[in-house]
Amino acid sequence: MTELLERIFLGAGASKAVASILANNCAACERDGSLSHGVFRMPGYVSSIASGWVDPKADPRIEDVGPAMVRVDAMNGFAQPALAAASALLIDKAAATGAAILAIRNSHHFSALWPDIEPFAERGLLAISAVNSFACAVPYGASKPVFGTNPIAYAAPRLGHPPLVADLATSSMANGDVQIAARECRALPRGYAVDGDGNPTTDPQVVLDSGALLTFGGHKGSAISLLIELLGAALTGGQFSYEVDWSAYPGAQTPHTGQFLILLDPDRGRGIEFAARTEQLIEQMFFAGLSRLPGSRRYERRAETMRDGIPIDAQELGRLERMAHDGAWQA
Amino acid sequence: MTELLERIFLGAGASKAVASILANNCAACERDGSLSHGVFRMPGYVSSIASGWVDPKADPRIEDVGPAMVRVDAMNGFAQPALAAASALLIDKAAATGAAILAIRNSHHFSALWPDIEPFAERGLLAISAVNSFACAVPYGASKPVFGTNPIAYAAPRLGHPPLVADLATSSMANGDVQIAARECRALPRGYAVDGDGNPTTDPQVVLDSGALLTFGGHKGSAISLLIELLGAALTGGQFSYEVDWSAYPGAQTPHTGQFLILLDPDRGRGIEFAARTEQLIEQMFFAGLSRLPGSRRYERRAETMRDGIPIDAQELGRLERMAHDGAWQA
């Protein structure tokens, strides 16, 4: 699947490095059952690239601005290659100082956040990341959208287990899930969204056309979404979600904003092992009746697909193969 | 009011430094209308100190563990004196590196978080802090409490205005508000709490005696509360909320856990002013129909009380004066 997706990205005009990173990312989402960020997203990637909105050959520019901070100008490219370019420096800084901040601007993030941070936790680091997106969520107490879906994710090392990874939109749901609901003609849950006049709606197409999501958890979720705008845009130097204006680029779907990431060296300065303590907390949660950790469905799905392969229906596969062929033909 | 509260703390056995910091903190909460952390909390402070559970003379020990990380052993004292002891070093580190982490363990935090971080934002820094507390909130999908109320707060500089400060419990509500509801015999909102068997309840006394709160915002709020346990305990070296065992100290009310704080120098490495960008976002939120920012009630209340004084009824004042007198007499 990675090879097929890579051909699509290359055919659409991506550089070899960008195509490889995005193909691996998208295939990993499909593998783990993160379907709203899997192959479902490929037409959006291709359409955004074709529109001229995002540069699929961009070469990110790294700015080493302090012992604990790295800025990256993604040069209007995707965020994942910018993160990949800065990763080694960021890890070095966290190891040297105890913590390191990555502030990516001028970037497009069109995937889940968990693939960005899981690798850091596999190295024993605690990672937290957030991106803003495009205005589609109404601040608590307001009537029009200002915030993006503004996901936040964290990954923590566990002793003897793959990392604990949580990834959550601070909107009531993810945009990808609204798109899937619209495609499948499924109503949204009540209390999740409003129409263009600020009235409640459960129609996903109305939300996509003229409405907006609410933030999760009332004023508290809204306060966290606000923090993510500050981190993803005001801190990075990127655009706020409401500043994204792709009207001159029909077909554009990727939010052109920013990404914030913090790495913490959790054992620095002492002998206690963070990963072992995390394990004690998780044991206590199961003791208290929990049956699933955040992210556990992804790991279960991953085990299944690594054993049995990634299921994909013939129609979807045909669509992807046509995209690879058309792009190659165009190129 | 600060002077009266300081006499109470001194009478209870606090050192001069601790008494001054806690009195200022508690009076500031009362001044700003943060009533669940105001003078209402004084009997809890005095009772906890009298029980021997917390050391009101503790001298925090600072560990400089890296260019971007400070650890503090609060030596079983209150968290605020530990923060005060580390503040200058932390600010220096953030200025030198771009970011700095403070990890306080072996500490008691019995107040709101906003007083801890507002001063950093007044200096142009972005501050985020979280504390865990004692097991009183049920993880989403579990039946028994594991997490504390686990508040998170942030403070961001604004151009031409006092900082934007949000402070929110990741439980459905704050423990102080449960206590106030119990005292005033008011029912809790539905869906906020469970009894000892995990069944829904609206009775605040049941919650305090044997029940528990839920986390806010379903599985998403629960994932954030889990992160706060990791930051407040696994990272700091403090206790998880479920590990707090004060059974040998009747009268103890202060959670003996940890505090996490991160300072970011948001303008580091570029000319764009974070505070000005924050202001643009806030303007857009008002344009979208917002009438109140997080924390705005506190600022309004502060303006009123700075002009008119802090209102306090005669009975409450008498109670405080008796506490000051009794403590002095005991000492």
Side-chain angles (χ1 to χ4, degrees), chain A residues 54-58 74-79 81 105-109 256:
Chain A
V54 53
D55 180 359
K57 295 186 197 296
M75 304 296 284
N76 194 35
F78 289 98
R105 68 182 182 278
N106 199 9
S107 56
H108 297 250
H109 203 294
H256 181 196

Side-chain angles (χ1 to χ4, degrees), chain A residues 75-110:
Chain A
M75 304 296 284
N76 194 35
F78 289 98
Q80 290 83 0
L83 170 59
S87 270
L89 178 61
L90 202 68
I91 290 168
D92 285 351
K93 282 182 186 291
T97 68
I101 303 295
L102 177 64
I104 302 175
R105 68 182 182 278
N106 199 9
S107 56
H108 297 250
H109 203 294
F110 197 54

Side-chain angles (χ1 to χ4, degrees), chain B residues 217-259:
Chain B
H219 73 279
K220 296 183 180 189
S222 185
I224 292 172
S225 194
L226 168 54
L227 174 61
I228 293 170
E229 287 291 335
L230 295 176
L231 294 171
L235 180 85
T236 64
Q239 294 187 99
F240 289 121
S241 296
Y242 73 84
E243 293 174 327
V244 173
D245 178 9
W246 45 30
S247 57
Y249 298 87
Q253 295 183 34
T254 59
H256 180 197
T257 50
Q259 179 170 11

Side-chain angles (χ1 to χ4, degrees), chain B residues 36-68:
Chain B
S36 63
H37 294 104
V39 299
F40 164 76
R41 282 277 165 111
M42 290 303 294
Y45 277 113
V46 170
S47 165
S48 292
I49 294 170
S51 76
W53 169 243
V54 54
D55 179 359
K57 294 186 198 296
D59 210 3
R61 199 164 56 195
I62 294 176
E63 300 161 12
D64 185 345
V65 297

Side-chain angles (χ1 to χ4, degrees), chain B residues 1-10 23 39 42 312 316-317 320-325:
Chain B
M1 176 168 282
T2 304
E3 191 273 336
L4 173 61
L5 299 182
E6 199 168 338
R7 274 197 288 134
I8 296 174
F9 281 115
L10 286 171
V39 299
M42 290 303 294
I312 186 162
E316 183 86 71
L317 184 61
L320 293 173
E321 281 169 344
R322 273 194 306 281
M323 285 172 70
H325 180 267

Side-chain angles (χ1 to χ4, degrees), chain A residues 241-253:
Chain A
S241 296
Y242 72 86
E243 293 174 326
V244 173
D245 179 8
W246 47 30
S247 56
Y249 298 87
Q253 295 183 34

